Amino acid sequence: MTAELVRGQNHTLPQTRLEIRVSAGSPVVAGATLGDERGTVRGAEWIAHPGSHRLPGLEVSRQAAADHRLAVDLDALPDAVHRVTVLLALPTGAGRPARFGAVAAPFVAVTGLDGAEIATFTLTGLDTESAVSALELYRRQGVWKVRAVGQGYAAGLAEMLADQGVAEAAELAASIQEAVASGLARSVTPPPRTPDSERARHPAVPAVPAATGEDVRPPAGPQVPEPATEPLRDRTPPPPDVAPGGPIDYAHPRRQTSAPPPPPPAAPPAAPGQPAQPVAGDATGWSMDERLYNQIWGMFEDLARAVAAYRSAVDFAESRMDQELDRTLSDPRSRIGGTGDRAREAARAKRDELTGRAREALERDLAQLAAESAVVEPALPAAYAGWDNPVWHGYRVPMEIPMALRVGDLRLPESADLRIPLLVRLPLERGIWVDSGRTASEAAAATSGDQLRELAMETAVALAARLLAVYPADEFSVHVIDPAGAAAGTLAPLVRSGVLAGPPAAGAEGVSAVLAHLTRRVDLVQMAVRAGAADALPPDLDTGEQLLIVNDFPHGFDDRAVTQLRYLADEGPSVGVHLLMVADREDARTYGPVLDPLWRSLLRITPVADDHLADPWVGHAWTYEPLRAPGGSNVLEQVLALVAAARRAGYR
């Protein structure tokens, strides 16, 4: 399966003999530098470029071209080499583009010798830069990985080489451009298409549902249909070669090597007059995971629209009845004899008829969605599945992160038995707050305060376990702050399995130490990113994603600790530090509005069913339900044990 990387993301390389393929909208210079443990290029002899295109284990193109193939044999590199950085630069000369912002975004793919893509990266966001470090292959603990870099340089090739420690970078850059000027641009044969089943493309669509504040919908979307008259939309895409507006071109606008999206699975034939039988993965997408992700989004959208249509029809029927009664009673003649009674009965009968038709349409749509849910749920991968899904019995530690993570279920009062998975995109873009306070829901009213706090911590532990399970073994770390040790029993699965980065921090000193450690990490990574000096990070700094579970806030927090926590909530997600807070907002009321930005920055969920997630698109209040392992099941402990074993074995 292809890993489509974003800037800063890495991926383990399954083999050492590779090709790096570059596709650009205009001719570019492609080269590579070799770096030692610190990323330093020791001299011109460690640079492969058109004027010196071959080094041990590395060969690049001799000319500027719109397409390149670079050959890499990691086993043949000198022992002192720990990093290979792929460089792209625009050739100089009259009539040539002077900046990458004026050309199509370059596309880089790391492939095997058979052409199968391992990882891809599209270098978006470039503007005034005329040279860029596209990606790097680096060795860590004996394992080679690829990282998407995308670091551009406005001063061109000379600045980029100087940034890697090359002496006389300006002279070397000039000689490279001279070598390029002496050749002609050429193109290579496009690589073979990757099988559809092995591709993974992430669409630019909102999360399912979009987890933004208390809302679960984006502000824009399809309009609500007429009351109780329109059935659920058909989410099956049109044939790839026939469309209302003519043939559809599925080619990536900035890439010549992409294959069209794989067609959805064929649905079983339906009986005449009956809807088609649902099929798992019938949405568009480059992989089954992406199809299921988009299908869940479509199910959420359909349920929202169906219920909105029903509610609109009921409101219309009630309003129409009121208007007819007003007209009848406003005529004095209708008050004589039985005329008024007959008018009232007729108005109520019409209301009941309209409401009944709306209910029939809703029941039809709910039955269709229930049938689809029954097919989709068993087919979900672990990241999208509930704890009761059999997929967890065959769980294996993944090699790469999925598109999204299921953090709960959503339902509406009209469809109490139909639940839609609440998925949030990964990496997390904001922290999560498990509200341990008492809410207005029936479930919260029937639960004591101590039980709510315990259930809130259980929800947090289950979420942490899911995050650990869907990330590669040592690319996600979990820290815990439990100032009074009140959650020792609930934290036992995490502690016993050995997946925590350290023992749960207790007391004021423990709280201060953990917050200082994570604050330092955020500061260092931010400075490195802004300076374009990721290689300058301390070798002992864990660059993987970090999750901080905070229990019983604000107990044990002084003013400095509160400030650090707010800093982590604001700045942490962009550099891989995330909060998972278990707290009752009432406990922190003494801080007043100071903490309002903190609460607003977190996605609020509850340990029991609660209808706090607002839907501004159609005005629904969705009921959120947390995910819990079935009673008596050890699935959570078994998954954590596999994660811990993979870490001990050094697997990714």
Side-chain angles (χ1 to χ4, degrees), residues 195-328:
D196 296 340
S197 61
E198 297 179 4
R199 299 185 56 90
R201 302 277 299 198
H202 295 183
V205 298
V208 185
T212 55
E214 298 298 294
D215 299 339
V216 294
R217 294 287 303 191
Q223 297 301 311
V224 180
E226 291 299 321
T229 59
E230 183 177 338
L232 291 182
R233 63 186 175 88
D234 181 9
R235 293 196 299 274
T236 304
D241 55 350
V242 180
I248 299 176
D249 182 10
Y250 283 105
H252 192 289
R254 297 178 179 176
R255 180 182 177 195
Q256 294 94 0
T257 60
S258 61
Q274 299 295 322
Q277 295 298 314
V279 174
D282 73 344
T284 57
W286 291 91
S287 67
M288 178 56 78
D289 285 3
E290 185 178 347
R291 293 176 193 166
L292 290 169
Y293 176 91
N294 291 334
Q295 186 172 13
I296 291 172
W297 169 255
M299 292 169 61
F300 171 82
E301 194 173 62
D302 281 348
L303 179 57
R305 192 176 70 165
V307 172
Y310 170 73
R311 293 180 181 179
S312 177
V314 171
D315 291 343
F316 171 77
E318 293 286 347
S319 175
R320 177 172 176 170
M321 183 187 70
D322 292 341
Q323 292 174 4
E324 291 179 351
L325 290 176
D326 288 343
R327 285 196 301 267
T328 299

Side-chain angles (χ1 to χ4, degrees), residues 62 215 223 438 574:
R62 297 186 180 185
D215 299 339
Q223 297 301 311
R438 187 173 300 282
S574 63

Side-chain angles (χ1 to χ4, degrees), residues 4 45 56 62 81 95 119 215 224 366 381 385 402 444 457 480 551 561 622:
E4 186 153 334
E45 66 276 8
R62 297 186 180 185
V81 173
D215 299 339
V224 180
L366 292 181
M457 198 60 199
V480 177
N551 181 44
W622 290 83

Side-chain angles (χ1 to χ4, degrees), residues 42-74:
R42 296 185 178 179
E45 66 276 8
W46 274 27
I47 305 175
H49 55 83
S52 177
H53 72 285
R54 186 176 296 170
L55 297 177
L58 179 63
E59 184 174 357
V60 303
S61 304
R62 297 186 180 185
Q63 302 170 2
D67 298 274
H68 292 272
R69 289 185 180 180
L70 285 64
V72 181
D73 185 352
L74 299 174

Side-chain angles (χ1 to χ4, degrees), residues 16-361:
T16 56
R17 299 189 65 187
L18 309 164
E19 278 191 350
I20 299 175
R21 299 180 176 183
V22 179
S23 297
S26 63
V28 297
V29 180
T33 61
L34 306 180
D36 56 19
E37 289 182 340
R38 298 185 178 182
T40 302
V41 179
R42 296 185 178 179
E45 66 276 8
W46 274 27
I47 305 175
H49 55 83
S52 177
H53 72 285
R54 186 176 296 170
L55 297 177
L58 179 63
E59 184 174 357
V60 303
S61 304
R62 297 186 180 185
Q63 302 170 2
D67 298 274
H68 292 272
R69 289 185 180 180
L70 285 64
V72 181
D73 185 352
L74 299 174
D75 290 335
L77 295 173
D79 293 338
V81 173
H82 288 256
R83 184 169 304 176
V84 179
T85 303
V86 177
L87 313 176
L88 303 179
L90 293 172
T92 57
R96 295 188 179 277
R99 59 189 184 90
F100 274 107
V103 300
F107 174 84
V108 185
V110 180
T111 75
L113 298 184
D114 59 354
E117 290 181 351
I118 299 170
T120 63
F121 176 41
T122 302
L123 284 79
T124 58
L126 298 177
D127 187 10
T128 60
E129 300 87 346
S130 59
V132 59
S133 295
L135 53 79
E136 62 182 13
L137 314 178
Y138 65 98
R139 182 166 53 190
R140 180 182 177 187
Q141 297 179 353
V143 177
W144 282 96
K145 292 187 172 187
V146 57
R147 177 187 290 125
V149 180
Q151 174 65 50
Y153 297 86
L157 189 58
E159 181 187 10
M160 180 167 55
L161 295 174
D163 189 49
Q164 297 193 30
V166 178
E168 300 180 350
E171 292 79 359
L172 179 58
S175 67
I176 293 174
Q177 293 290 3
E178 290 176 4
V180 171
S182 64
L184 297 175
R186 65 177 179 89
S187 358
V188 298
T189 304
R193 289 182 174 180
T194 302
D196 296 340
S197 61
E198 297 179 4
R199 299 185 56 90
R201 302 277 299 198
H202 295 183
V205 298
V208 185
T212 55
E214 298 298 294
D215 299 339
V216 294
R217 294 287 303 191
Q223 297 301 311
V224 180
E226 291 299 321
T229 59
E230 183 177 338
L232 291 182
R233 63 186 175 88
D234 181 9
R235 293 196 299 274
T236 304
D241 55 350
V242 180
I248 299 176
D249 182 10
Y250 283 105
H252 192 289
R254 297 178 179 176
R255 180 182 177 195
Q256 294 94 0
T257 60
S258 61
Q274 299 295 322
Q277 295 298 314
V279 174
D282 73 344
T284 57
W286 291 91
S287 67
M288 178 56 78
D289 285 3
E290 185 178 347
R291 293 176 193 166
L292 290 169
Y293 176 91
N294 291 334
Q295 186 172 13
I296 291 172
W297 169 255
M299 292 169 61
F300 171 82
E301 194 173 62
D302 281 348
L303 179 57
R305 192 176 70 165
V307 172
Y310 170 73
R311 293 180 181 179
S312 177
V314 171
D315 291 343
F316 171 77
E318 293 286 347
S319 175
R320 177 172 176 170
M321 183 187 70
D322 292 341
Q323 292 174 4
E324 291 179 351
L325 290 176
D326 288 343
R327 285 196 301 267
T328 299
L329 296 176
S330 64
D331 185 356
R333 293 173 297 179
S334 65
R335 303 173 186 175
I336 302 174
T339 304
D341 293 338
R342 288 193 296 270
R344 279 190 290 269
E345 290 176 1
R348 292 189 180 110
K350 185 61 176 177
R351 178 204 59 186
D352 294 341
E353 178 188 358
L354 292 175
T355 303
R357 287 165 50 191
R359 188 70 201 184
E360 289 178 4

